Amino acid sequence: MTKSVLILLALLMISTSFFAQEVEQKKESQKAHYNISKFKQLQEELPTPNKQHTASGAPGYEYTQQKVDYKMNIVLDDENHRISGDERITYHNNSKDYLEYLWVQLDQNLRAADSPASDRNGGGPRSVYSPSQFTKSFMGKPFDGGFKIEHLKDDNGKDIDYMINNTMMRVDLPKPIAPGESFVFNIKWWYNINNYIEDRGRSGFEIFEDGNTAYAIAQFYPRLAVYNNVEGWQNMQFWGSSEFALEFGDFDVSITTPKDFILNGTGVIQNPKDVLSKKQYERYQEAQLTYDNPVFIVTPEEATEAGKGKEKGTKTWKLRAENVRDFAFATSRRYMWDAMAVKLNDKTVMAYSLYPEEGKELWEEHSTRVVANTLKVYSKHTFDYPYPQASSINVQMGMEYPMICFNYGRADRNGKFSERTKKGMIGVITHEVGHNFFPMIVNSDERQWTWMDEGINSFVEILAEYEYDPELFPTTKYPKNMVGYMKGDQDRLAPIMSQGDNVFNFGSNAYGKPAAALFILRQTIMGPELFDHAFRTYANRWKFKHPTPADFFRTMEDASAMDLDWFWRGWFFTTGNNDIGIKEVKKYHLTNKPTAEAANVYKRYGIEKDQIPPSLFLVSEDSEEFTEDLKGKKAEDYSLLTDYLNENFSEEEKSGMEAPKYFYELVFEKPGDLVMPIIVEFEYEDGTKERKQYPAEIWRKNDGEVTKVFPSSKAINKITIDPDEETADVDLSNNSWPKTTETKFDNFKKNQIKG
């Protein structure tokens, strides 16, 4: 028997002995248990695939969705802060179901005097109230908001029965709408517009110091709820936090405003010559061909002049939008308007910004450029932006709609602004313009799954902001910016897969944590190339459709050949956090003398120490058997190894092989609930560094502790887990070996920062 065969036999016997030990340990406990593995597949949690939403995550051949077209005549009454509308709706039933009634969303009813929304939450008194808030809260004079429905008629002018339940209205059809049929009906309505500065809200008006107004108008018309093949009608009430589920359709909207108002909204203005001055119209045309820098359509001087006095009369803006899920607009006499053309492959898209004098210092420099950058970066990661324009409107809030969004950020009264204000403005514009992709096109159910629009959008926002200004928006703060939230009080945490109205920390739960999760998935687990392909696949599969969480999870796996169920389960279905540490490190050296540990293994099989075949053994430095002379020995010093190499490898093959000199036993512990990869950085005695990443699957058979052997040709001085803090590890105190000792001054500084 050759030496090589003896070595292989010895190794086989040792591995068999370890297996035998495991069997003996398992016999100690024979109680049955459920599969609680964190690598358990998600089949139980996800809905059963079908012909509409397939197992691959793609739309099935029987997938359908409804279409709703709107024709509206809208009148904005600036004197009374009132809006009224005459609305013709064409509902196309593309499903295979007969529909007995329709559900229409009346979101403005959140502000109705008898709305239960204000009584839904607890809380004590505020320390400060505006007059409006005080009156509304304590004097029995609530704001008279909510839709006033004047009539609801069919296309022949006949009244249709309806019933209003808070923010939802059921339209009782004269007869069911058959599959493939359409139904036309008309709603006439009006409501008082709220002051969103005083009463908050996603739309409304603000009054400038000079008495002029600016309107950001959204959720302003009765609009159809979604009917789909997942849950039927999506008619959950609107309570103010979780947003909207809407159908795609075509919009023809005429909006009558005071004559000196400037307006932009969803869609393309059909009559620019009628609503702009001759010079403004010329600049409007010029902007369509300007790609380098924004040009003014309405100049600052024109906006200032319009703000000085109210011109009598009205004018009507006509807008058209195709294949959009919603409609919004903004208007004021004090708006200036700049524009720039954006090239997206073979298509030109217009980037617009409208803002008052208060926003000029910041917005003239950045807003339209940020819109252009956002369209380019999001298009690169998903699909080319399909709409003809995207507008950013300066409003003191952030909110998004197809082709238009409202964004904050203004200088102070002296025209000064801080770096923080600038950063916040760029960030909110990127975020809200990005919403054109999620959920305005990849049309997830915001009311049910907030993270599918806010979280996914916040993730792509990180990439877009970095490309706009990498110094202002470094990616190094992600995902460690979520550590504070994830290690917080578990009683005030909810899984990402929670309906948005029922979580404590809406921002972190719906925006920050899912964005951090996807950042980790791209940068650390999948790698950008694999992630980006899968992500684009999801976006293209579900653009202009209604995806569910399962469609996202399944597509990301289907397009990458990666089993990510462990990741979705931990990050999205639990409130667990990540904490991986170094429990112990042992240094070993090579010897050809049997160690006591090896001898005990052989003895179990009746082989005494003097009968052990020639082998190589590892001895720990803290073992009694360790001797100083072993420190300098290399693997090549042992003839047993060199003989084996000479027998089995050519000179060319041996030239590419390097035998290690040191062996480190690394014991990793996982106090945290999440399973994550282990990223390890080794710093050698010569100052060089090396990294090794162990996959998350390393935890599949022991959720608390794993051991790895790391061979090295150089001695290691320091070992660090997650050196760049890229896994949201909530406790870094156990991430280094030798363990760093924290001084009293370090602890003092940490407490000062917390305070």
Side-chain angles (χ1 to χ4, degrees):
M1 184 179 292
T2 65
K3 290 181 179 179
S4 61
V5 174
L6 285 171
I7 293 172
L8 291 173
L9 178 62
L11 294 174
L12 177 62
M13 292 177 66
I14 291 173
S15 63
T16 304
S17 70
F18 287 142
F19 176 76
Q21 291 178 51
E22 290 181 2
V23 171
E24 289 177 8
Q25 292 171 0
K26 288 178 181 177
K27 286 181 178 179
E28 294 177 5
S29 175
Q30 294 296 331
K31 293 182 179 180
H33 62 275
Y34 294 99
N35 182 0
I36 57 173
S37 169
K38 290 171 182 175
F39 293 89
K40 179 183 176 183
Q41 296 296 285
L42 274 177
Q43 276 90 338
E44 292 180 12
E45 286 81 0
L46 299 184
T48 303
N50 52 49
K51 297 174 184 178
Q52 295 88 33
H53 295 259
T54 67
S56 70
Y61 66 89
E62 288 191 359
Y63 175 85
T64 62
Q65 66 185 41
Q66 313 295 63
K67 183 175 187 286
V68 189
D69 298 326
Y70 299 85
K71 288 188 176 181
M72 292 186 278
N73 291 306
I74 306 299
V75 177
L76 178 68
D77 181 350
D78 183 41
E79 291 296 325
N80 297 298
H81 303 313
R82 177 179 292 185
I83 187 170
S84 58
D86 198 341
E87 180 178 347
R88 185 174 190 266
I89 303 172
T90 303
Y91 188 90
H92 304 273
N93 182 15
N94 296 324
S95 76
K96 294 183 179 180
D97 303 328
Y98 285 81
L99 303 181
E100 303 173 59
Y101 44 76
L102 305 176
W103 280 103
V104 176
Q105 303 183 60
L106 303 178
D107 304 293
Q108 290 297 326
N109 283 3
L110 183 75
R111 299 187 184 91
D114 59 351
S115 171
S118 61
D119 294 327
R120 197 167 71 113
N121 298 320
R126 302 178 187 178
S127 58
V128 179
Y129 290 87
S130 70
S132 172
Q133 292 167 341
F134 187 87
T135 303
K136 181 178 179 181
S137 300
F138 303 118
M139 298 181 66
K141 293 288 185 182
F143 174 70
D144 183 21
F147 281 106
K148 312 301 191 285
I149 305 296
E150 294 191 6
H151 70 232
L152 199 155
K153 298 177 180 292
D154 66 17
D155 209 30
N156 296 317
K158 186 177 180 180
D159 288 338
I160 301 175
D161 292 335
Y162 63 91
M163 190 276 292
I164 296 176
N165 175 17
N166 196 11
T167 62
M168 287 288 171
M169 177 171 68
R170 191 186 68 231
V171 178
D172 296 322
L173 300 170
K175 69 173 184 175
I177 308 174
E181 288 187 352
S182 299
F183 179 70
V184 180
F185 63 106
N186 299 272
I187 305 177
K188 189 173 183 181
W189 50 266
W190 65 272
Y191 68 84
N192 294 315
I193 305 172
N194 62 298
N195 183 325
Y196 76 85
I197 301 296
E198 293 187 354
D199 299 327
R200 306 185 67 180
R202 298 171 187 272
S203 66
F205 69 86
E206 67 170 305
I207 301 177
F208 297 108
E209 290 185 358
D210 63 5
N212 281 298
T213 50
Y215 294 87
I217 302 299
Q219 293 91 51
F220 69 94
Y221 61 99
R223 50 194 188 159
L224 266 295
V226 167
Y227 182 83
N228 62 29
N229 41 35
V230 174
E231 60 181 338
W233 285 105
Q234 168 41 293
N235 54 8
M236 295 177 69
Q237 294 289 338
F238 177 49
W239 294 101
S241 295
S242 294
E243 293 173 1
F244 314 106
L246 298 160
E247 303 283 14
F248 288 102
D250 300 333
F251 287 74
D252 285 290
V253 183
S254 296
I255 307 169
T256 299
T257 68
K259 191 173 184 179
D260 51 2
F261 270 42
I262 293 297
L263 178 146
N264 209 332
T266 301
V268 176
I269 298 171
Q270 301 297 295
N271 60 336
K273 275 188 175 181
D274 299 334
V275 292
L276 299 175
S277 70
K278 182 178 179 181
K279 289 183 178 180
Q280 289 168 350
Y281 179 68
E282 289 173 354
R283 294 191 291 262
Y284 177 83
Q285 289 182 304
E286 177 191 348
Q288 319 295 314
L289 302 174
T290 305
Y291 293 89
D292 298 328
N293 293 295
V295 297
F296 278 107
I297 295 173
V298 178
T299 66
E301 294 76 18
E302 289 169 333
T304 299
E305 187 63 28
K308 291 180 180 179
K310 298 180 180 180
E311 189 174 350
K312 293 182 179 180
T314 63
K315 61 184 174 184
T316 298
W317 303 71
K318 297 181 179 180
L319 290 87
R320 177 166 175 78
E322 297 178 353
N323 204 21
V324 295
R325 62 167 237 167
D326 200 1
F327 191 99
F329 68 92
T331 185
S332 173
R333 62 171 52 87
R334 292 197 58 222
Y335 280 154
M336 55 194 78
W337 177 4
D338 70 34
M340 183 172 71
V342 184
K343 196 72 173 176
L344 297 175
N345 290 322
D346 59 350
K347 182 178 182 179
T348 295
V349 174
M350 293 306 302
Y352 294 134
S353 293
L354 282 73
Y355 44 95
E357 175 64 30
E358 288 82 353
K360 182 177 182 296
E361 293 299 325
L362 270 169
W363 281 58
E364 182 179 2
E365 175 66 24
H366 292 287
S367 178
T368 299
R369 292 182 175 89
V370 174
V371 173
N373 176 74
T374 303
L375 295 178
K376 291 176 182 177
V377 176
Y378 275 70
S379 294
K380 180 174 67 174
H381 287 280
T382 56
F383 43 77
D384 284 352
Y385 181 70
Y387 294 134
Q389 66 105 340
S391 296
S392 170
I393 314 297
N394 183 246
V395 174
Q396 297 192 67
M397 61 176 169
M399 195 57 200
E400 74 282 352
Y401 305 93
M403 302 188 226
I404 185 171
C405 55
F406 308 148
N407 306 301
Y408 53 78
R410 293 176 183 173
D412 62 23
R413 293 184 178 184
N414 299 314
K416 305 295 183 182
F417 57 86
S418 66
E419 193 75 357
R420 181 178 180 180
T421 299
K422 170 185 168 182
K423 184 175 181 180
M425 183 209 70
I426 295 172
V428 72
I429 293 174
T430 303
H431 181 87
E432 306 303 351
V433 173
H435 269 308
N436 276 288
F437 294 81
F438 307 97
M440 300 302 151
I441 298 170
V442 183
N443 190 17
S444 58
D445 179 354
E446 299 178 87
R447 187 69 49 85
Q448 186 77 264
W449 307 114
T450 309
W451 69 268
M452 287 194 73
D453 69 291
E454 298 296 358
I456 291 177
N457 182 49
S458 295
F459 158 69
V460 189
E461 176 192 347
I462 295 170
L463 308 179
E465 289 171 344
Y466 179 77
E467 290 206 26
Y468 186 78
D469 189 336
E471 292 186 7
L472 195 61
F473 297 96
T475 57
T476 51
K477 68 178 183 178
Y478 304 103
K480 59 186 179 184
N481 63 322
M482 275 294 102
V483 166
Y485 169 71
M486 294 182 68
K487 69 179 181 181
D489 182 358
Q490 285 288 329
D491 288 339
R492 297 187 65 83
L493 299 181
I496 291 174
M497 289 290 288
S498 300
Q499 200 274 331
D501 289 320
N502 303 321
V503 299
F504 286 101
N505 194 322
F506 187 80
S508 294
N509 182 276
Y511 295 67
K513 185 181 175 184
L518 295 179
F519 190 85
I520 292 172
L521 193 61
R522 182 179 192 263
Q523 301 300 121
T524 303
I525 296 169
M526 298 179 71
E529 184 177 2
L530 201 58
F531 177 95
D532 289 351
H533 173 77
F535 190 73
R536 276 193 295 269
T537 300
Y538 165 72
N540 280 279
R541 281 178 172 180
W542 289 98
K543 62 184 178 183
F544 300 112
K545 295 182 176 69
H546 301 301
T548 67
D551 297 318
F552 178 69
F553 299 150
R554 286 169 171 155
T555 294
M556 292 301 292
E557 296 188 20
D558 181 71
S560 67
M562 289 191 72
D563 180 3
L564 299 169
D565 282 13
W566 61 271
F567 184 81
W568 310 129
R569 182 185 297 281
W571 276 87
F572 288 77
F573 288 84
T574 80
T575 59
N577 57 44
N578 177 43
D579 181 14
I580 298 173
I582 303 175
K583 182 178 181 180
E584 187 179 16
V585 176
K586 285 187 179 181
K587 188 177 181 181
Y588 286 80
H589 295 267
L590 202 62
T591 178
N592 59 359
K593 295 180 180 180
T595 61
E597 183 179 358
N600 288 333
V601 173
Y602 278 100
K603 192 171 184 179
R604 293 179 188 150
Y605 294 91
I607 300 174
E608 297 299 325
K609 189 173 184 178
D610 57 359
Q611 297 174 319
I612 296 175
S615 303
L616 297 173
F617 305 91
L618 293 180
V619 59
S620 171
E621 278 195 3
D622 60 6
S623 167
E624 294 180 357
E625 301 170 276
F626 172 74
T627 56
E628 287 293 321
D629 67 302
L630 295 176
K631 280 189 174 182
K633 287 193 174 182
K634 300 179 181 179
E636 293 94 334
D637 294 337
Y638 298 96
S639 60
L640 185 65
L641 178 63
T642 55
D643 290 347
Y644 172 77
L645 294 175
N646 290 333
E647 290 174 15
N648 293 277
F649 299 93
S650 67
E651 290 300 320
E652 183 180 357
E653 289 173 324
K654 286 190 295 182
S655 66
M657 302 170 69
E658 182 181 5
K661 184 177 180 181
Y662 307 100
F663 302 84
Y664 292 86
E665 180 187 45
L666 312 174
V667 183
F668 301 107
E669 61 180 353
K670 190 173 71 62
D673 295 311
L674 295 182
V675 289
M676 291 290 286
I678 308 174
I679 305 169
V680 189
E681 181 179 82
F682 302 96
E683 183 176 325
Y684 298 106
E685 58 184 353
D686 63 1
T688 60
K689 294 180 180 181
E690 179 183 358
R691 288 195 184 184
K692 172 75 176 177
Q693 180 165 320
Y694 299 101
E697 286 78 5
I698 196 172
W699 302 103
R700 70 194 188 282
K701 294 182 179 179
N702 189 332
D703 189 53
E705 183 178 300
V706 294
T707 302
K708 293 295 292 185
V709 176
F710 183 78
S712 174
S713 60
K714 297 182 288 188
I716 297 174
N717 278 354
K718 183 180 180 182
I719 302 174
T720 306
I721 290 180
D722 194 12
D724 295 332
E725 300 179 42
E726 59 184 284
T727 64
D729 193 313
V730 301
D731 181 7
L732 302 181
S733 67
N734 58 358
N735 283 35
S736 299
W737 175 87
K739 187 173 183 179
T740 56
T741 55
E742 190 176 74
T743 67
K744 289 183 178 180
F745 182 65
D746 292 331
N747 192 46
F748 169 77
K749 288 194 298 182
K750 184 185 294 184
N751 289 332
Q752 289 297 105
I753 293 172
K754 287 180 180 178

